[in-house]
């Protein structure tokens, strides 16, 4: 399998400003902060212009709307449009349409990417202005009281407290605490919420595909909790073309829930973190099965059918598939990537 073809496909979704659109489809030709984060994960581990320019683009976006961040470091948003927006035009401007912008996980993801980028030698921080933005984003999360406030979550849907959102913020705050000032209580409050909520995603969801983020890439939960989450995802959410996001998901539901293709490589990356290499090989085969020769991996297969939806390719799906298969090829990386330091189950 030609892995470098995946980079060509990702590059087709890379904008001149360095950011990535989610997909070239009509519905997804926008820049989501979260999608940029996942689209650039393959370039995190060694200094890369693709990684650095993407983060510079998001920093510049935040500077453009710094006035809004300033307001909501003091006053909690009341309406969705008051939140830092989750989705932008290709010129990185806000869109004047109603949207589920209360997505704390996107801010946590950005902070984690910055901190981990610096740790891996990426020149993501250019000057004191970028550091100022980081500090204000932390104040924004504090004003929101991210550890106990409902948000739209990773899937931009119903407002509730999501473990995946709280976890992203905990991970992000931990990642930047060596760069700027982070009150330790901000982190411990989020950790307490996770202790009470996990392995559930929320009050209404026993499990959710978004919980995999707490294992990979964030690595912020202990092994027993990680094993419970991954077992629940495999047992309750895995299907033939990927994973459903959660039970009774209505998005592209034609009699059953839509099957998201990035579920397979994401599970594979989580099993890699857990040192369960026999499962890594199982999900390698499942991942390879959903990859066409041109590497144009769809967002999902419409529920109850064997038909992909129009958001093809999805940058996030291409990115996780490439990263997973690339790490398998790099045996030394496989040996060193697990933070759980456990023997194979």
């Amino acid at each position: 399998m030609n892995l470098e073809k995946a980079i060509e496909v990702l590059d087709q979704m890379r904008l001149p400003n360095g950011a990535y659109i989610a997909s070239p489809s009509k519905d997804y030709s926008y820049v989501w902060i979260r999608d940029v984060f996942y689209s650039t994960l393959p370039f995190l581990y060694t200094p890369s212009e693709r990684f650095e320019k993407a983060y510079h683009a998001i920093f510049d976006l935040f500077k453009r709307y710094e006035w809004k961040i300033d307001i909501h470091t003091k006053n909690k948003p009341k309406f969705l449009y008051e939140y830092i927006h989750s989705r932008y035009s290709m010129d990185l401007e806000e869109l004047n349409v109603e949207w589920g912008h209360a997505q704390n996980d996107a801010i946590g993801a950005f902070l984690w990417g910055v901190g981990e980028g610096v740790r891996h030698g990426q020149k993501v921080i250019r000057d004191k202005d970028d550091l100022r933005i980081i500090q204000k984003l932390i104040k924004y999360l504090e004003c929101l009281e991210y550890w106990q406030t409902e948000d739209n979550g990773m899937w931009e849907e119903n407002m509730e407290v999501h473990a995946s959102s709280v976890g992203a913020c905990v991970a992000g705050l931990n990642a930047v605490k060596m760069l700027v000032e982070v009150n330790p209580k901000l982190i411990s409050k989020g950790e307490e919420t996770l202790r009470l909520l996990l392995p559930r995603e929320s009050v209404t969801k026993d499990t959710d595909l978004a919980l995999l983020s707490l294992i990979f890439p964030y690595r912020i939960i202990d092994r027993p909790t990680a094993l419970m989450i991954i077992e629940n995802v495999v047992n309750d959410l895995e299907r033939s073309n990927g994973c459903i996001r959660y039970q009774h998901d209505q998005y592209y539901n034609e009699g059953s829930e839509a099957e998201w293709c990035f579920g397979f490589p994401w599970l594979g990356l989580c099993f890699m973190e857990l040192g369960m290499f026999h499962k890594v090989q199982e999900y390698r085969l499942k991942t390879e099965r959903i990859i066409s020769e041109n590497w144009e991996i769809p967002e999902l297969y419409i529920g109850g059918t064997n038909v992909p939806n129009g958001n093809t390719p999805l940058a996030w799906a291409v990115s996780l598939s490439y990263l997973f298969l690339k790490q398998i090829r790099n045996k030394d990386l496989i040996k060193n990537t697990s933070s759980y330091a456990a023997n194979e189950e």
Side-chain angles (χ1 to χ4, degrees), residues 137-155:
L137 291 175
I138 293 166
K139 291 294 292 181
Y140 173 81
L141 292 179
E142 182 177 17
C143 181
L144 290 179
E145 298 182 312
Y146 81 89
W147 58 90
Q148 63 182 8
T149 299
E150 297 177 343
D151 80 335
N152 292 121
M154 186 177 285
W155 311 129

Side-chain angles (χ1 to χ4, degrees), residues 249-285:
D249 184 3
Q250 294 304 301
Y251 184 68
Y252 280 97
N253 186 318
E254 298 290 339
S256 61
E257 302 94 337
E259 301 172 15
W260 289 64
C261 296
F262 60 51
F264 285 156
W266 206 350
L267 278 167
L269 287 160
C270 290
F271 280 120
M272 194 176 287
E273 284 294 324
L274 291 160
M276 300 169 68
F277 297 119
H278 65 297
K279 300 295 289 184
V280 168
Q281 293 306 319
E282 176 185 336
Y283 283 88
R284 173 183 67 83
L285 295 174

Side-chain angles (χ1 to χ4, degrees), residues 104-243:
N104 300 344
D105 72 291
I107 305 304
F110 175 78
L111 293 175
W112 188 89
V114 169
E116 283 294 295
V118 170
R119 196 166 73 85
H120 285 94
Q122 307 273 7
K123 296 177 182 176
V124 288
I125 296 176
R126 296 161 294 184
D127 50 37
K128 68 180 187 308
D129 294 330
D130 288 344
L131 289 173
R132 182 185 73 243
I133 292 296
I134 295 171
Q135 195 71 69
K136 288 186 177 183
L137 291 175
I138 293 166
K139 291 294 292 181
Y140 173 81
L141 292 179
E142 182 177 17
C143 181
L144 290 179
E145 298 182 312
Y146 81 89
W147 58 90
Q148 63 182 8
T149 299
E150 297 177 343
D151 80 335
N152 292 121
M154 186 177 285
W155 311 129
E156 307 184 319
E157 294 184 338
N158 56 309
M159 293 282 284
E160 56 184 337
V161 177
H162 294 90
S164 58
S165 291
V166 174
C169 294
V170 168
L173 292 169
N174 266 316
V176 297
K177 66 185 179 184
M178 295 298 289
L179 301 174
V180 295
E181 186 69 28
V182 178
N183 186 333
K185 289 184 179 179
L186 279 183
I187 297 173
S188 62
K189 287 177 179 178
E191 291 173 335
E192 177 64 11
T193 298
L194 292 178
R195 188 184 69 80
L196 295 172
L197 193 52
L198 290 174
R200 298 180 64 90
E201 163 70 343
S202 65
V203 170
T204 67
K205 296 186 181 75
D206 290 337
T207 191
D208 190 301
L209 193 60
L211 287 169
L212 294 184
S213 63
L214 307 185
I215 306 170
F216 180 88
Y218 299 136
R219 308 177 177 103
I220 61 162
I221 52 178
D222 60 29
R223 182 177 176 82
T225 306
L227 288 171
M228 281 191 285
I229 286 173
I230 208 166
E231 180 181 7
N232 290 342
V233 169
V234 168
N235 291 341
D236 297 342
L237 307 183
E238 186 173 333
R239 301 292 188 269
S240 59
N241 292 309
C243 296

Side-chain angles (χ1 to χ4, degrees), residues 7 10 13 19-22 31-45 50-51 54-55 58 103 105-110 112-113 153-155 164-165 167-169 171 208-219 260 262-263 265-267 269-270 314-324:
I7 304 301
L10 285 172
M13 291 175 275
Y20 288 75
I21 56 173
V31 174
W32 273 268
I33 294 172
R34 183 192 308 100
D35 285 66
V36 172
F37 169 77
Y38 280 101
S39 298
T40 56
L41 276 179
F43 312 115
L44 166 64
Y45 302 104
R50 290 182 177 91
F51 188 92
Y55 276 80
I58 304 301
Q103 295 177 36
D105 72 291
I107 305 304
F110 175 78
W112 188 89
M154 186 177 285
W155 311 129
S164 58
S165 291
C169 294
D208 190 301
L209 193 60
L211 287 169
L212 294 184
S213 63
L214 307 185
I215 306 170
F216 180 88
Y218 299 136
R219 308 177 177 103
W260 289 64
F262 60 51
W266 206 350
L267 278 167
L269 287 160
C270 290
L314 185 77
W316 188 347
V318 175
S319 169
L320 287 190
S321 298
Y322 169 81
L323 179 59
F324 177 44

Side-chain angles (χ1 to χ4, degrees), residues 68-132:
K68 171 184 279 192
I69 300 173
D70 284 340
I71 292 171
H72 298 298
T73 57
K74 300 179 180 69
N75 302 298
K76 189 181 292 189
K78 295 180 181 177
F79 304 101
L80 289 174
Y81 69 83
E82 294 179 316
Y83 286 82
I84 295 174
H85 281 202
S86 58
R87 187 184 75 149
Y88 298 83
S89 71
M90 289 189 281
D91 294 327
L92 303 182
E93 295 185 351
E94 288 186 352
L95 302 162
N96 188 25
V97 294
E98 290 188 18
W99 203 259
H101 289 304
Q103 295 177 36
N104 300 344
D105 72 291
I107 305 304
F110 175 78
L111 293 175
W112 188 89
V114 169
E116 283 294 295
V118 170
R119 196 166 73 85
H120 285 94
Q122 307 273 7
K123 296 177 182 176
V124 288
I125 296 176
R126 296 161 294 184
D127 50 37
K128 68 180 187 308
D129 294 330
D130 288 344
L131 289 173
R132 182 185 73 243

